[in-house]
């Protein structure tokens, strides 16, 4: 099912199933439904390289093709579930914006290490900018990722002694050496 959007994101079939837009009353069904929403939000934002979900202005909440839209309470429930499962975090106290964790920091740490190994960056220094936006990271799971998420993943690797992090003049110039 293709939706009119700036990307070529392929919406899953369940997105065109009207009951998907009404939170189900049976607990087991609701848990499966919320898991589908988490998966959809992650895949959509990752595919579109979007780092933030603006709660009141998210394309996913409305499917014009079947004339269905989530109500405000259901949007809030889905967002709370998304954050509570570690897939995102609130950017503000009013809970209007969610930082999307394309991957959890632990997963991203593994991806960064594997990338450094494959790309010949073991023993080399590169900047945070090069990791998120450089030519060498094209196609990597962390390409275009939120800088804070990359920093968290690198901190995990630093704790394990697998990288050293160097402070630059600006945050984009901060460097990392892979061991």
């Amino acid at each position: 099912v293709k939706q009119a959007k700036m990307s070529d994101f392929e919406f899953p079939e369940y997105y065109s199933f009207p009951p998907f837009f009404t939170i189900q009353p049976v607990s087991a069904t609701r848990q499966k439904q919320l898991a589908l929403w988490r998966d959809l939000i992650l895949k959509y934002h990752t595919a579109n390289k979007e780092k933030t979900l603006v709660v009141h202005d998210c394309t996913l909440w409305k499917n014009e093709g079947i004339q269905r839209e989530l109500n405000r309470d259901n949007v809030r429930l889905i967002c709370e579930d998304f954050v509570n499962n570690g897939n995102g975090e609130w950017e503000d106290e009013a809970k209007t914006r969610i930082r999307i964790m394309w991957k959890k920091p632990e997963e991203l740490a593994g991806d960064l290490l594997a990338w450094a190994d494959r790309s010949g960056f073991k023993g080399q220094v590169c900047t945070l900018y090069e990791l998120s936006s450089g030519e060498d990271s094209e196609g990597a799971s962390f390409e275009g990722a939120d800088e804070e998420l990359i920093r968290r993943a690198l901190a995990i690797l630093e704790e394990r002694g697998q990288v050293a992090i160097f402070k630059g003049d600006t945050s984009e110039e901060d460097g990392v050496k892979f061991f």
Side-chain angles (χ1 to χ4, degrees):
V1 179
K2 286 219 179 188
Q3 288 284 107
K5 175 67 177 123
M6 291 181 261
S7 75
D8 291 328
F9 181 75
E10 186 82 24
F11 282 79
E13 284 186 33
Y14 61 80
Y15 189 71
S16 292
F17 188 53
F20 184 61
F21 288 84
T22 303
I23 298 300
Q24 300 302 301
V26 177
S27 180
T29 307
R30 182 175 48 252
Q31 292 312 310
K32 289 178 186 171
Q33 180 184 26
L34 290 171
L36 290 173
W37 273 108
R38 286 191 304 271
D39 187 59
L40 176 63
I41 292 167
L42 270 177
K43 286 181 178 172
Y44 178 84
H45 284 81
T46 302
N48 289 300
K49 301 287 185 199
E50 293 179 15
K51 302 170 190 174
T52 304
L53 181 154
V54 179
V55 175
H56 70 277
D57 187 31
C58 179
T59 304
L60 298 175
W61 307 149
K62 185 176 188 177
N63 183 335
E64 292 181 11
I66 60 169
Q67 298 178 346
R68 297 293 268 180
E69 183 174 2
L70 287 168
N71 68 35
R72 188 174 270 167
D73 290 340
N74 289 348
V75 167
R76 176 66 55 203
L77 177 70
I78 289 166
C79 289
E80 289 288 349
D81 176 74
F82 187 77
V83 170
N84 291 340
N85 275 279
N87 300 110
E89 59 189 23
W90 294 110
E91 289 188 345
D92 58 350
E93 286 186 34
K95 297 185 175 183
T96 62
R97 299 167 55 85
I98 298 173
R99 171 182 287 126
I100 302 291
M101 303 295 224
W102 293 353
K103 287 192 167 203
K104 293 182 179 174
E106 301 78 22
E107 296 172 308
L108 196 59
D111 289 357
L112 285 163
L113 208 53
W115 169 83
D117 208 21
R118 273 193 322 274
S119 304
F121 274 89
K122 288 265 176 123
Q124 303 291 319
V125 176
C126 63
T127 64
L128 243 60
Y129 175 80
E130 289 173 314
L131 283 178
S132 67
S133 305
E135 288 179 21
D136 292 316
S137 64
E138 279 184 24
S141 67
F142 50 87
E143 177 191 10
D146 183 75
E147 182 181 313
E148 179 62 26
L149 178 58
I150 291 175
R151 285 183 183 284
R152 288 184 192 175
L154 290 172
I156 291 169
L157 295 174
E158 188 173 43
E159 283 177 23
R160 295 179 189 161
Q162 296 172 305
V163 302
I165 300 173
F166 306 99
K167 202 78 173 125
D169 290 337
T170 67
S171 65
E172 286 186 344
E173 292 175 359
D174 286 355
V176 60
K177 183 174 184 175
F178 291 91
F179 302 120

